[in-house]
């Protein structure tokens, strides 16, 4: 099943986010390579493609896991959690409707 993982950045965490980014992306690439990633990306803190020093308000990942517990465990192990970037992470079941994911 698909799960939406939403991480919400704390205040003044841009440096921590940048320091942990490579490890964070490696985990996303592993999901992609396994065919389990629908989408992933950051949410700029301002209405701009590149928010500069304003940074980001969080991130969204939609990926396939065997269970809600597995999705939560994956989210809890994220380098952004370890680095203190996220102040909160929500994990919920997600049902894609459009566009339809490849099977």
């Amino acid at each position: 099943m698909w799960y939406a993982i939403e991480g919400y950045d704390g205040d003044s965490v841009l440096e921590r986010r940048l320091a942990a980014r490579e490890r964070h992306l490696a985990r996303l690439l592993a999901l992609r390579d396994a065919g389990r990633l629908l989408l992933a990306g950051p949410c700029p803190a301002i209405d701009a493609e590149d928010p500069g020093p304003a940074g980001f308000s969080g991130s969204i990942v939609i990926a396939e896991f065997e269970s809600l517990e597995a999705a939560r465990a994956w989210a809890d192990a994220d380098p952004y959690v370890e680095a203190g970037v996220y102040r909160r992470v929500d994990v919920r079941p997600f049902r894609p409707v459009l566009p339809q994911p490849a099977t």
Side-chain angles (χ1 to χ4, degrees):
M1 180 160 184
W2 296 97
Y3 294 89
I5 301 169
E6 296 176 86
Y8 297 86
D9 284 21
D11 295 327
S12 304
V13 296
L14 183 56
E15 283 186 32
R16 284 185 259 169
R17 178 183 262 274
L18 294 174
R21 185 172 189 266
E22 188 174 323
R23 291 179 296 127
H24 171 79
L25 289 177
R27 297 176 81 235
L28 293 171
L29 291 172
L31 284 177
R32 182 202 63 190
D33 293 348
R36 297 173 42 208
L37 183 66
L38 186 62
L39 67 87
C43 301
I46 60 173
D47 189 13
E49 183 74 24
D50 178 358
F56 299 90
S57 62
S59 304
I60 298 172
V61 174
I62 300 179
E64 191 173 33
F65 294 92
E66 65 229 25
S67 67
L68 180 58
E69 293 77 21
R72 283 187 177 138
W74 187 90
D76 288 345
D78 193 285
Y80 285 173
V81 171
E82 177 185 304
V85 173
Y86 293 151
R87 63 178 164 79
R88 182 177 105 227
V89 177
D90 294 338
V91 181
R92 303 179 286 168
F94 179 81
R95 192 180 70 157
V97 175
L98 295 173
Q100 293 182 344
T103 56

